[in-house]
Amino acid sequence: MKILAACEESQTVCIELRKLGHEAYSADIQEPSGGHPEWHILGDVLPLINGRCSFQTMDGANHEIKDKWDMLIAFPPCTYLSNAGNASLFPDGILNKERYKKGLEAKAFFMSLYNADCSKIAIENPISSRIYEMPPFSQEVHPWMFGHEYEKTTRLWLRGLPILMATEIVPWVSTWCPSSTTGNKGAAGSNPKNRSKTFQGLARAMAEQWAGYI
């Protein structure tokens, strides 16, 4: 299958898909931290999401997708959409209009991915602030459902794909992300890349259950 992992600088899902034999590419405005520039498209992902496109990976190789992507898995930025940012969105109980505007821009980007011309789509994001009226999500998953001992509510919006099944349920010992409302620092600390981390067990489940082996 030809699969685009959009907004995935970590390449965690892309790597798991490649292990199974799929032609998967990661794409992001950031350089990859996953160690495979030969699979990474550096730049704006929106011109790519409907397929029928040409692009260059960071190793200088040229590629062409002649039809739609077989699957799109996306991890759009959540900084301004996440419910965790409500303290900044409503400082002193008053709407921060500048932050709200950025949230609307983030939703528009999310919806471009959500409405992409692809029969199999999965979009990952945390719990969104209700003010943005995001579309209904398909399910919620946590790292502890896939062999990692952390609590991190992750929502999935799915089209043409089955609900993801837990692969290894383990007791969770701490939350992953910090909370501005509870004061919990979380295991990920303040590093945004750590907070947005896709755990390998979850990435493997996505690859195996949605794409399968070749």
Side-chain angles (χ1 to χ4, degrees):
M1 297 176 72
K2 297 181 187 297
I3 303 172
L4 179 64
C7 313
E8 201 206 18
E9 65 81 24
S10 72
Q11 299 189 297
T12 309
V13 173
C14 184
I15 290 170
E16 293 300 322
L17 289 165
R18 286 276 178 169
K19 287 179 182 178
L20 303 185
H22 298 283
E23 184 182 344
Y25 300 94
S26 57
D28 200 278
I29 58 174
Q30 302 179 69
E31 293 190 4
S33 60
H36 291 279
E38 71 276 16
W39 303 337
H40 192 70
I41 308 161
L42 183 64
D44 183 7
V45 73
L46 289 183
L48 308 175
I49 60 176
N50 295 320
R52 306 181 189 90
C53 59
S54 299
F55 55 86
Q56 188 176 82
T57 43
M58 289 186 66
D59 61 346
N62 295 312
H63 307 268
E64 182 180 7
I65 302 298
K66 294 183 178 180
D67 204 341
K68 304 175 187 178
W69 293 98
D70 295 308
M71 188 183 304
L72 170 66
I73 304 176
F75 306 86
C78 62
T79 302
Y80 297 105
L81 292 175
S82 173
N83 190 56
N86 274 353
S88 299
L89 184 60
F90 294 98
D92 302 318
I94 300 172
L95 178 66
N96 182 329
K97 293 183 179 180
E98 183 61 30
R99 189 176 180 91
Y100 178 61
K101 179 183 177 182
K102 291 180 179 179
L104 292 176
E105 292 170 353
K107 180 184 178 180
F109 181 76
F110 179 104
M111 295 305 298
S112 295
L113 298 166
Y114 184 83
N115 293 316
D117 187 12
C118 183
S119 60
K120 294 180 173 63
I121 295 178
I123 304 177
E124 180 265 6
N125 242 217
I127 298 174
S128 309
S129 177
R130 285 182 293 178
I131 194 172
Y132 295 115
E133 300 180 325
M134 301 294 283
F137 60 92
S138 303
Q139 72 174 122
E140 289 184 347
V141 295
H142 299 272
W144 55 260
M145 299 168 64
F146 304 94
H148 303 277
E149 56 184 18
Y150 299 106
E151 173 87 356
K152 178 191 176 187
T153 305
T154 301
R155 287 181 171 175
L156 300 174
W157 286 257
L158 306 176
R159 182 198 304 164
L161 293 170
I163 293 295
L164 207 60
M165 303 300 293
T167 56
E168 184 185 356
I169 295 177
V170 298
W172 66 275
V173 298
S174 67
T175 59
W176 182 249
C177 296
S179 171
S180 59
T181 55
T182 66
N184 191 320
K185 294 183 179 180
S190 59
N191 188 310
K193 285 189 177 182
N194 283 345
R195 295 199 302 267
S196 62
K197 169 186 174 71
T198 300
F199 287 83
Q200 186 177 12
L202 175 56
R204 186 182 304 115
M206 290 177 173
E208 292 179 353
Q209 296 181 35
W210 291 342
Y213 293 86
I214 291 182

